[in-house]
Amino acid sequence: LRPAEYEYVQGVPFEKPGDAPDEEEEAAHFFARRLHPRAPLPAGIERVVLVRKLREVRAQIGFTRLAPAEANLDGDIMAGKVKTAMLGHLTDWLPAIEEHGEGLWIQLDTQALDAWEQRAEVQARAQVLRAGWNRELGDLPDQPFFGPRYYFLHALSHLLIQAISLECGYGASALRERIYCSAPGATTSMAAILLSTTTPGSEGTLGGLVAQGRNIGEHLARALELGRLCSNDPVCARHTPEQDPAEQHLEGAACHGCLYLAEVSCERMNRMLDRALVVPVIDQPSALAFFADQG
C-alpha cells in the first residue's frame, strides 16, 4: 500500500481559499492539499501536505506472545521466528475498527538524501547499524537491512511527534506515525513521514495537527534541539548495537531519555532509531547528521 499512497500524494494540488473535498474525496474520506508556505521550507524538506480528512481501518489478524511479528518496509508481516496465532480455527471474520481524523505529511528532499547516503560517515554508520541488525534479524533471509534512511526518517518522526505535541493540542501518545521509505538500491526513491491522529467518532478531529503544518520550520527547529542532547549522554550517543549487553541490537543513539514514544505511536516498537543520523550528537562526527547545519 505505501508506494501507492506515496504516489497518490505526489499529485495532490496546492491549497486555495474555499477548498472543499470533491465527490471522490468525500467518498474516500481523504481530503488533502499541498501547503503553500508563507516562507521557504527548511532545507531538506521538499513539501508539506495538509491531510484535513482521513479514514483509517485497523483489523486484528492474530496475536503473538512475548515478541512482535516482524514486518517489512511496507508493513507486511514476514514469516520468521515469531509466528502469528490465528484468532480462531473456524473464524471467517476479523474484528476491526474504523477511525476518522487528520494528518500531516512531511516529505524530505530525496536528492539531498541520496547525496547524504553517499557520505563516508553515513556509510560507516550504516555498517555499524547493519551489524546490530544481523545480530538480531540476520537469520531472516526475507528481511534485508532497511538502511540508514529508514533509521533517519524514523528518528526524525519521533522527534517531530514530541515537538508538535507541545503545540497541537494532542498528547504525544495520541499521534501516530507512518513511514514511507524506499529500500536501499531501489529505483524509486521515497522519503516521507505521515503523522496522524484519529478517533472512532464519525466527525473526526478538530484540526489542531493540520494547523501545525504551517509552522513546520519552528517545529523542526524544536525537534532538532530535542535530539541534540539526551539525559543519558554520552552513554546513549556512544551506543554500539552489535555489542549491547541489553540486546538492543536495532537501535543506534536512542533510548527512553530521547526518542522512545508510547507503543501506540510507534510502528516499530521503538526499534530502528538513531538520532545521530538526524542531528549532531556527542562523540559522533557532525557530517553523520542530515540536519548538521540546522543542528
Side-chain angles (χ1 to χ4, degrees):
L1 287 177
R2 298 193 195 209
E5 293 169 358
Y6 188 91
E7 184 65 26
Y8 179 86
V9 173
Q10 304 314 299
V12 167
F14 280 99
E15 62 179 345
K16 58 183 179 182
D19 259 340
D22 58 28
E23 292 184 4
E24 182 179 343
E25 292 169 327
E26 196 69 53
H29 298 275
F30 186 84
F31 175 44
R33 291 293 183 267
R34 184 174 175 180
L35 174 69
H36 247 316
R38 295 187 294 264
L41 292 174
I45 304 296
E46 180 180 322
R47 72 177 67 190
V48 174
V49 176
L50 310 177
V51 185
R52 301 184 182 278
K53 180 184 294 188
L54 65 82
R55 181 183 65 166
E56 181 182 42
V57 178
R58 296 200 301 272
Q60 183 180 4
I61 62 173
F63 64 92
T64 64
R65 300 285 189 187
L66 303 180
E70 298 298 338
N72 62 16
L73 267 176
D74 286 336
D76 299 325
I77 300 298
M78 305 292 292
K81 295 181 292 185
V82 179
K83 297 186 181 298
T84 302
M86 295 185 297
L87 295 179
H89 292 291
L90 302 178
T91 303
D92 59 358
W93 58 276
L94 297 173
I97 184 172
E98 180 182 73
E99 297 189 330
H100 299 266
E102 60 185 292
L104 183 59
W105 175 281
I106 302 163
Q107 187 166 321
L108 281 292
D109 184 340
T110 54
Q111 291 185 346
L113 270 175
D114 291 340
W116 168 77
E117 288 176 317
Q118 298 307 313
R119 296 179 188 174
E121 295 84 358
V122 176
Q123 293 183 358
R125 186 67 170 180
Q127 294 306 313
V128 172
L129 296 173
R130 185 190 296 272
W133 178 283
N134 292 337
R135 180 80 180 271
E136 181 76 14
L137 302 174
D139 55 350
L140 300 180
D142 296 331
Q143 188 73 310
F145 178 53
F146 285 179
R149 178 179 299 201
Y150 185 86
Y151 281 70
F152 158 74
L153 289 171
H154 196 194
L156 177 61
S157 173
H158 280 218
L159 291 171
L160 284 171
I161 286 176
Q162 295 179 53
I164 291 176
S165 67
L166 300 175
E167 299 287 342
C168 73
Y170 303 109
S173 61
L175 303 181
R176 296 167 59 87
E177 67 181 359
R178 188 168 174 83
I179 309 297
Y180 297 82
C181 178
S182 52
T187 55
T188 302
S189 186
M190 292 195 305
I193 300 165
L194 174 63
L195 307 181
S196 64
T197 182
T198 57
T199 176
S202 61
E203 297 301 320
T205 50
L206 300 176
L209 178 59
V210 165
Q212 300 311 312
R214 305 187 187 281
N215 303 319
I216 189 62
E218 298 175 15
H219 294 308
L220 178 61
R222 184 181 295 113
L224 299 182
E225 186 63 28
L226 289 171
R228 182 157 52 171
L229 185 64
C230 173
S231 58
N232 290 323
D233 278 340
V235 176
C236 176
R238 293 175 179 171
H239 177 243
T240 303
E242 182 183 17
Q243 302 172 357
D244 185 5
E247 298 185 353
Q248 294 181 352
H249 302 308
L250 297 177
E251 294 97 69
C255 70
H256 290 281
C258 53
L259 288 185
Y260 287 1
L261 296 175
E263 292 181 356
V264 293
S265 298
C266 179
E267 67 175 14
R268 297 287 175 180
M269 303 290 289
N270 284 318
R271 303 180 304 166
M272 305 164 197
L273 295 160
D274 189 0
R275 61 188 170 92
L277 297 173
V278 181
V279 67
V281 299
I282 293 174
D283 291 336
Q284 298 293 347
S286 61
L288 179 60
F290 181 77
F291 291 108
D293 296 335
Q294 289 97 313

